[in-house]
Amino acid sequence: MIGEIPIREKNIVLIGFMGVGKTTIGTLVAKKLYRGFIDIDKEIEDKCNMPITQIFEDLGEKKFREIERDLIIDTCLNTRLNVISLGGGAYLQEEVRKICLSHCIVFFLDLSWDSWQDRIPLIIDNRPVLQNKTIEEIEQVFRTRRTAYSLHNSKISTDNLNPEEVADYIVESLKLAWDIYQPHND
Ligand SMILES: Nc1ncnc2c1ncn2[C@@H]1O[C@H](COP(=O)(O)OP(=O)(O)OP(=O)(O)O)[C@@H](O)[C@H]1O
Ligand SMILES: O=C(O)C1=C[C@@H](O)[C@@H](O)[C@H](O)C1
Ligand SMILES: [Mg+2]
């Protein structure tokens, strides 16, 4: 793709810790904006034709991360007008951060550690990174990853907000940014 992407056409990328709601909220944002929705975890599962837990078991995390990185770079370079939800660990890779920040609008979905713990029963079974870890070890991962997520265009604290409310907030702030940076001339 040659040249600067107009802000109204840039892909919107959702980042944040696993279980924070990227997939759930990304689906809603895409519907509200009449955009395509791409969930990178789902793309990886489709490409490998197996669930993520099995990819971790059969191919290993290193291979998973390579596939994840390549898919994200390809999607950022070759598509526009989509909402893209990353997997929770994708943004730890520098190349992923760089491509997302240079080509897309990046929203960090934040959640406090206290609130996040309520999500554990909802996600534990199919998030291999959480398995065989104590709660203290998981908290360590949660806190360490915040450094990577701190590189973003906009942050939303989602404590006490339901998915609809978070999606509405994202849509409203995008419309504001679009009007400021690329106003309609009519
Ligand atoms: N704002 C919210 N309030 C309450 N529950 C939520 C909220 N957002 C998501 N959830 C619930 O949390 C669980 C995890 O959500 P989701 O799969 O969207 O997270 P994710 O960020 O995509 O995770 P991952 O990084 O592993 O892909 C789901 O059961 C979802 O219904
Ligand atoms: O946070 C992570 O490292 C992960 C989150 C999920 O979205 C999946 O991408 C996978 O389970 C790894
Ligand atoms: Mg997800």
Side-chain angles (χ1 to χ4, degrees):
M1 225 175 238
I2 300 162
E4 179 73 12
I5 308 168
I7 190 169
R8 288 175 185 272
E9 294 182 26
K10 283 187 173 188
N11 287 327
I12 295 145
V13 169
L14 304 188
I15 63 164
F17 200 62
M18 69 195 100
V20 78
K22 301 177 295 296
T23 299
T24 311
I25 291 156
T27 309
L28 294 173
V29 173
K31 279 204 185 103
K32 287 172 192 284
L33 292 174
Y34 302 96
R35 288 195 171 202
F37 175 63
I38 298 173
D39 188 77
I40 295 296
D41 282 336
K42 167 98 176 26
E43 297 291 313
I44 299 169
E45 291 185 327
D46 290 351
K47 187 181 168 79
C48 298
N49 201 24
M50 51 177 135
I52 285 176
T53 33
Q54 202 186 335
I55 301 175
F56 268 66
E57 269 172 40
D58 292 4
L59 309 180
E61 180 170 353
K62 188 166 178 286
K63 184 70 190 163
F64 173 83
R65 297 298 175 196
E66 284 170 20
I67 300 169
E68 180 178 53
R69 180 201 60 213
D70 292 349
L71 259 169
I72 294 168
I73 292 175
D74 183 50
T75 309
C76 290
L77 286 178
N78 297 310
T79 77
R80 293 182 185 200
L81 292 165
N82 288 308
V83 177
I84 305 170
S85 293
L86 300 195
Y91 211 66
L92 301 179
Q93 303 194 64
E94 192 185 1
E95 285 169 279
V96 169
R97 294 196 293 274
K98 275 193 174 153
I99 196 81
C100 290
L101 289 166
S102 59
H103 285 67
C104 313
I105 303 175
V106 180
F107 281 87
F108 168 35
L109 302 188
D110 199 10
L111 190 61
S112 67
W113 169 247
D114 279 351
S115 299
W116 182 81
Q117 288 177 79
D118 297 340
R119 303 276 165 91
I120 295 175
L122 302 174
I123 63 172
I124 188 79
D125 289 342
N126 50 14
R127 303 302 194 281
V129 172
L130 297 180
Q131 274 145 33
N132 305 314
K133 281 194 175 66
T134 63
I135 192 71
E136 290 78 18
E137 287 168 334
I138 294 174
E139 183 176 5
Q140 185 59 40
V141 178
F142 181 93
R143 300 209 182 279
T144 307
R145 285 186 174 189
R146 287 182 63 86
T147 313
Y149 302 141
S150 69
L151 298 162
H152 54 255
N153 297 115
S154 186
K155 176 176 116 166
I156 305 123
S157 300
T158 66
D159 283 58
N160 305 316
L161 295 179
N162 66 39
E164 279 286 341
E165 290 170 323
V166 181
D168 284 339
Y169 180 90
I170 292 173
V171 168
E172 287 313 311
S173 57
L174 275 168
K175 287 183 175 167
L176 210 61
W178 290 337
D179 282 344
I180 292 170
Y181 294 107
Q182 196 192 344
H184 286 301
N185 293 321
D186 49 28

